[in-house]
Amino acid sequence: MKVSMMDMRKEGRRLVTNAFAVLLMSAPLGWVTIVALDAAQAQTAQNGHASQKRSFAIRPQPLPGALTVFGQQTGLQVSVDAAAVRSLTSSGATGTMTPAAALTSLLAGTGLSHRLTGTSTVVIEAPGAKTTGTLPAGAIALDTIDVQGASNPNSTMTPTPSYAGGQVASGGRVGFLGNRSVFDTPFTQNNYTEKLIRDQQARGILDVLDNNPAVRAVSSPFTFQQNIFIRGFLLNARALAFDGLYGIVPSFRPAIEGAERIDVLNGPAALLYGFPPDGNVAGVVNLIPKRAPDAPLTRLTGQYLSNGTFNGQVDLARRFGPKNEWGVRFNGAHREGATPIDRNNERLDTLTVGLDYRGERLRLGVDFGAQQFSSRSGLQSFRVLPGFAIPQTQPLTSNVQQPWERFQTTPVFAVGRAEYDLTNDVTVFGAIGGSKLDQDRIASNPTITNPNGSLSMGPNRQLSFQDQWTGEAGVRTRFATGFIDHSAAVVGTHYASDNRTGFAQTPAFASNLYNPVFVPQPLFPSDTNLAQTLSTAKLDGIAITDTMSALDGRVQVIAGGRFQRAQNSTIASGVADFYDKSAATPMAAAIVKPVENLSLYASYAEGFGFGPQAPLGASNPGQIFPPIITKQIETGAKLDLGTLGATVAFYEIAQPSGFLDPITNIFGLNGEQRNRGVDLNVFGEPTPGFRLLGGVTLLDGRLTKTAGGTFDGRVAPGVPDIQLNLGGEIDMPWLAPGITLNGRVIYTSAQFYDQANTQSIPDWTRLDLGARYSFIANGTPLVARFNVLNVTGANYWASTGQGALHLGTPRTFMFSISADLTPAPAPLTRSTTWTK
């Protein structure tokens, strides 16, 4: 078994290396051509893009809304000062014409002109605006403008612009450091946009993270919880952040309809974000809430998902006040019906409301959210007894779960955030929020007992209630000492939670992976007679950091630390447990830019959090282990070619490892897990009409310091050698204006299930394909989208993370159509000169 497994892993490396090379070499106009473009070639590309005729139907309206529709129909990024166009109106543009001609019509009578500054960027500016020096693509050189403080670099409440292609943002939230460019962040970070979420018809977090090669799902699709591995370490769904705060995002299956962006930072981030509530320190997934754009937005979407799920969604936004300083955005959705899994039905009702105020120095944001998610016969993970080869999975559309199994959760949350500029260089900020969650679950956890697929099904009932409160307060400032510029920040954080859980389990019954057996629902104790577990947690910390830069930011050094205190008390089965632990977690990083578009960096970071939590189905479900410290060293490079970005990172992460013993069924710590790896990411629009997103992660996860050295040097369970996610989009104007085709390949090499490396699952490959068509009917912009996940219908075990088997994604068809009844504004670049 061990020899064949090694052969499988070597073969996997070879296949993926060849596939990756072919994909890169086959990209239209290859990367080498893009890199080699001289000024003349770039101008030719610009002129070619601007000379392609297409149909426009942009009605007379406020200029920001007109530019929005223009950007949607052409794929061009519009760069403009918000204040310069806020009060202007456009006479529109109708007919078949080039984008340049359409812009001329849109700007007629406004006193503004336009010019192309890159292959996909248009700058709107006042005639005669003076420019000095070399401007980056999309920049505007205008006199000092008042945009109500929105461009203050100390602010975290200003949206970061999209990168070329619009699938990722050019920057994102980096904890209390605030918003930073991807190319000025000494970690690997991907910031997925709402455009990508809509175009891929993502239903949840896992669908969005299918674009990230460093991430793998550690839960079966169509189940009650969405856990992931980042760089081979667990990140529980309960540890997602909301606008930089833990304890807000609904646990288990959070809705993403209200998310403007989903930022993913790989590796420990205790200094940046604080102590995660359940201790996972593999990285951070941060949901950025939607805000009302400058022009009105009314978007309606209807969706169908095989085999009978219907979804309706509404997205409304308006701004009010003399300067559009007040904004409100509402998102609501209802999804209900049968999934591709036999006997599995889901229902989701969700709404979010985001309010904001952007004044000259004061910025406010308030968010409310509520959802109800319920499912019948949701998929569960499989345990495997030792001593035999893991059998092949059943068809992914089949279901061994019982018809009486159910899950329901009803979370609500509210959070408020404020920033105030004391001066142009000093900003104080604060946020406070809370959430409440009720959860009721009846399930039967399957264990595979022999190679023929025999199952032991353990029915259980869980009832839980959770209240969480969280907040932060701090100050960001900028100053100079000699030729060194400083950007410093201090923040204090607080988190508290109360948890009540009731649990009961009944005797197991026999079934089979390939021929499920269905039995009547067992009788569980009443709610008041369930075995009770009461727990409270309190997390407090204070952090400080300073970013020092010289030579116009070409040399940057970041240093800081966070002191944190964790208190936890648990009462289970009448036995009380309490601990009070503290730790200081440092972070240090350096960034050097030898040339303007290349960043080289090195960083050291530590994470501090609760030990891993025993999963449901273990003999000690919900047990929380004392805090642990995770350490990471990362070095890398980031290249910005304007229309194409590429990052590479080399890293080593070590943390105590948790594992579920298949014999005793007890979850606990057993030594340390050390992962070494390489992340390669690419994103952008290397040539007009072709967009690229994804990459490859190479991992070497090893067990060290195990009890008695029994498993030292063995491959860590659930950590594959190779993870590849590579997707592309191509516009097809020669077929018809507005048609875009897309595809994505996901590959994962073989994985071991047990610490002894005697049981394993083979590698797997998933192919996703799709298309969308943007068109106009009766003056209304419409977009029809069609996506197929797992086109080939491959059956596979997706992961062995956390000592459990997780099923893959079955072939799934998705179709939707959305209508922009009142268009939203194009992304605006607010240009402001800040003076002391």
Side-chain angles (χ1 to χ4, degrees):
M1 172 66 69
K2 190 171 183 178
V3 174
S4 63
M5 183 68 177
M6 293 175 62
D7 293 340
M8 291 165 62
R9 295 160 77 91
K10 291 179 180 178
E11 181 66 11
R13 289 192 187 96
R14 185 186 67 79
L15 290 173
V16 171
T17 301
N18 292 342
F20 197 64
V22 170
L23 284 167
L24 296 186
M25 293 172 63
S26 63
L29 300 184
W31 292 356
V32 174
T33 304
I34 298 299
V35 175
L37 277 175
D38 58 21
Q41 291 172 310
Q43 185 63 44
T44 300
Q46 295 172 26
N47 294 338
H49 194 83
S51 64
Q52 296 175 2
K53 289 187 176 182
R54 62 184 69 208
S55 178
F56 290 92
I58 306 176
R59 59 180 175 80
Q61 59 188 290
L63 184 56
L67 293 176
T68 292
V69 181
F70 173 82
Q72 293 171 340
Q73 295 182 16
T74 62
L76 293 170
Q77 180 176 348
V78 180
S79 181
V80 64
D81 173 65
V85 299
R86 185 169 293 139
S87 60
L88 299 178
T89 58
S90 171
S91 57
T94 303
T96 301
M97 63 189 81
T98 65
L103 268 178
T104 299
S105 177
L106 293 178
L107 299 176
T110 64
L112 301 176
S113 62
H114 67 86
R115 61 186 174 89
L116 290 167
T117 62
T119 59
S120 60
T121 304
V122 175
V123 171
I124 309 298
E125 61 187 356
K130 297 180 179 180
T131 61
T132 58
T134 301
L135 291 174
I140 312 172
L142 297 176
D143 293 334
T144 301
I145 317 164
D146 174 21
V147 291
Q148 305 156 6
S151 296
N152 189 328
N154 284 326
S155 173
T156 65
M157 300 176 69
T158 305
T160 55
S162 297
Y163 196 73
Q167 296 181 313
V168 297
S170 59
R173 179 77 181 268
V174 188
F176 77 106
L177 292 182
N179 292 338
R180 290 180 66 88
S181 165
V182 168
F183 304 100
D184 284 323
T185 301
F187 305 99
T188 300
Q189 185 166 10
N190 295 277
N191 311 301
Y192 302 106
T193 64
E194 189 233 355
K195 181 180 186 301
L196 175 134
I197 294 172
R198 284 188 287 115
D199 286 344
Q200 295 186 356
Q201 301 190 68
R203 301 181 314 120
I205 295 291
L206 294 185
D207 295 331
V208 178
L209 299 187
D210 275 339
N211 298 285
N212 194 316
V215 174
R216 282 299 178 266
V218 196
S219 56
S220 300
F222 304 104
T223 190
F224 71 98
Q225 191 167 357
Q226 298 190 330
N227 298 332
I228 61 173
F229 265 9
I230 299 182
R231 290 181 170 176
F233 290 106
L234 176 68
L235 179 68
N236 193 285
R238 294 187 295 271
L240 304 181
F242 182 90
D243 202 16
L245 290 179
Y246 290 120
I248 301 297
V249 177
S251 303
F252 302 107
R253 284 285 293 271
I256 60 173
E257 280 77 4
E260 178 69 30
R261 208 175 63 241
I262 296 178
D263 297 348
V264 183
L265 187 148
N266 298 350
L271 170 68
L272 303 174
Y273 285 89
F275 194 116
D278 69 344
N280 302 142
V281 287
V284 177
V285 176
N286 186 27
L287 278 64
I288 305 300
K290 289 180 178 178
R291 289 290 177 256
D294 284 294
L297 169 66
T298 302
R299 179 179 294 131
L300 304 179
T301 302
Q303 183 192 50
Y304 171 81
L305 173 86
S306 57
N307 289 338
T309 298
F310 294 89
N311 178 29
Q313 181 181 348
V314 58
D315 187 356
L316 302 174
R318 297 291 187 273
R319 298 209 71 87
F320 306 95
K323 297 182 179 180
N324 271 358
E325 60 267 33
W326 295 96
V328 58
R329 190 152 185 181
F330 170 87
N331 276 265
H334 171 77
R335 183 168 69 234
E336 184 175 7
T339 76
I341 309 299
D342 294 343
R343 299 179 306 282
N344 176 227
N345 290 268
E346 293 185 346
R347 173 172 175 166
L348 172 71
D349 294 283
T350 179
L351 66 88
T352 60
V353 178
L355 309 174
D356 74 282
Y357 171 81
R358 53 189 197 194
E360 183 176 353
R361 293 197 174 274
L362 176 66
R363 295 169 294 279
L364 303 173
V366 179
D367 293 276
F368 306 92
Q371 72 177 65
Q372 182 178 72
F373 174 79
S374 60
S375 69
R376 286 278 182 178
S377 301
L379 298 180
Q380 305 297 316
S381 301
F382 293 77
R383 314 297 179 192
V384 185
L385 293 182
F388 57 87
I390 294 176
Q392 293 182 347
T393 179
Q394 79 274 34
L396 292 181
T397 55
S398 65
N399 192 357
V400 303
Q401 307 303 141
Q402 301 296 302
W404 40 261
E405 296 184 32
R406 60 180 172 82
F407 175 84
Q408 181 172 312
T409 179
T410 54
V412 295
F413 71 87
V415 60
R417 179 175 292 277
E419 292 181 342
Y420 184 77
D421 302 327
L422 297 177
T423 69
N424 289 340
D425 294 321
V426 180
T427 298
V428 293
F429 62 92
I432 186 170
S435 66
K436 182 179 180 63
L437 178 142
D438 301 339
Q439 178 240 320
D440 190 358
R441 172 177 177 262
I442 294 178
S444 53
N445 298 104
T447 298
I448 302 176
T449 59
N450 62 40
N452 298 320
S454 295
L455 298 176
S456 174
M457 309 287 291
N460 60 82
R461 167 89 188 282
Q462 185 189 45
L463 187 66
S464 62
F465 306 90
Q466 182 183 58
D467 296 324
Q468 299 180 93
W469 305 269
T470 184
E472 67 175 5
V475 59
R476 298 185 188 90
T477 182
R478 297 177 299 147
F479 59 93
T481 56
F483 64 92
I484 304 296
D485 294 323
H486 298 261
S487 179
V490 179
V491 66
T493 57
H494 172 76
Y495 169 88
S497 69
D498 289 327
N499 301 275
R500 293 173 292 142
T501 302
F503 187 80
Q505 190 158 352
T506 62
F509 62 90
S511 186
N512 188 274
L513 185 63
Y514 312 110
N515 297 291
V517 174
F518 301 107
V519 302
Q521 178 177 332
L523 181 63
F524 292 100
S526 64
D527 293 354
T528 56
N529 290 326
L530 296 174
Q532 299 289 320
T533 298
L534 306 177
S535 65
T536 62
K538 193 175 181 181
L539 313 171
D540 296 285
I542 185 169
I544 184 171
T545 185
D546 185 16
T547 300
M548 297 158 280
S549 61
L551 303 178
D552 293 327
R554 300 185 65 163
V555 176
Q556 302 178 44
V557 175
I558 305 174
R562 181 185 290 265
F563 177 81
Q564 299 182 100
R565 180 185 181 187
Q567 298 170 283
N568 185 277
S569 63
T570 303
I571 302 176
S573 301
V575 178
D577 187 18
F578 174 80
Y579 65 75
D580 185 342
K581 302 287 186 181
S582 299
T585 53
M587 185 197 80
I591 303 171
V592 177
K593 299 181 179 181
V595 294
E596 185 176 358
N597 60 349
L598 176 64
S599 301
L600 307 178
Y601 71 91
S603 63
Y604 172 82
E606 292 186 0
F608 177 61
F610 291 117
Q613 186 173 2
L616 293 175
S619 298
N620 54 337
Q623 180 180 350
I624 299 176
F625 291 81
I628 59 175
I629 291 180
T630 300
K631 300 178 180 180
Q632 172 182 278
I633 298 174
E634 179 174 334
T635 61
K638 300 185 178 186
L639 180 65
D640 179 12
L641 299 178
T643 59
L644 179 70
T647 68
V648 62
F650 304 85
Y651 55 87
E652 177 179 297
I653 310 176
Q655 77 170 37
S657 61
F659 186 74
L660 180 67
D661 191 299
I663 299 177
T664 65
N665 200 39
I666 296 175
F667 185 88
L669 296 177
N670 182 15
E672 183 180 78
Q673 180 176 330
R674 185 216 63 211
N675 291 358
R676 292 172 176 164
V678 181
D679 287 349
L680 172 64
N681 287 274
V682 292
F683 49 89
E685 190 174 22
T687 189
F690 176 72
R691 292 165 289 281
L692 196 63
L693 178 65
V696 63
T697 289
L698 307 179
L699 272 173
D700 180 22
R702 298 286 171 170
L703 299 176
T704 62
K705 302 178 183 179
T706 58
T710 305
F711 302 122
D712 286 2
R714 302 294 175 89
V715 177
V719 181
D721 283 347
I722 303 171
Q723 300 176 175
L724 179 142
N725 302 55
L726 187 60
E729 287 189 350
I730 184 167
D731 297 333
M732 311 289 284
W734 52 89
L735 292 181
I739 290 182
T740 299
L741 303 182
N742 60 75
R744 178 175 60 200
V745 174
I746 302 176
Y747 173 84
T748 304
S749 62
Q751 304 167 57
F752 285 113
Y753 174 81
D754 61 333
Q755 292 182 318
N757 291 176
T758 60
Q759 295 173 297
S760 63
I761 62 172
D763 62 345
W764 57 269
T765 303
R766 190 182 107 193
L767 174 65
D768 302 335
L769 296 176
R772 69 176 178 270
Y773 176 43
S774 302
F775 60 103
I776 297 172
N778 297 323
T780 299
L782 301 170
V783 182
R785 299 177 175 90
F786 180 69
N787 295 87
V788 184
L789 307 181
N790 192 0
V791 172
T792 62
N795 296 316
Y796 60 97
W797 296 111
S799 172
T800 61
Q802 278 195 299
L805 290 178
H806 309 279
L807 292 167
T809 299
R811 183 189 288 123
T812 305
F813 298 90
M814 296 182 292
F815 173 77
S816 70
I817 187 164
S818 62
D820 286 335
L821 304 182
T822 304
L828 302 179
T829 299
R830 296 176 170 90
S831 177
T832 301
T833 301
W834 289 89
T835 57
K836 296 184 179 180

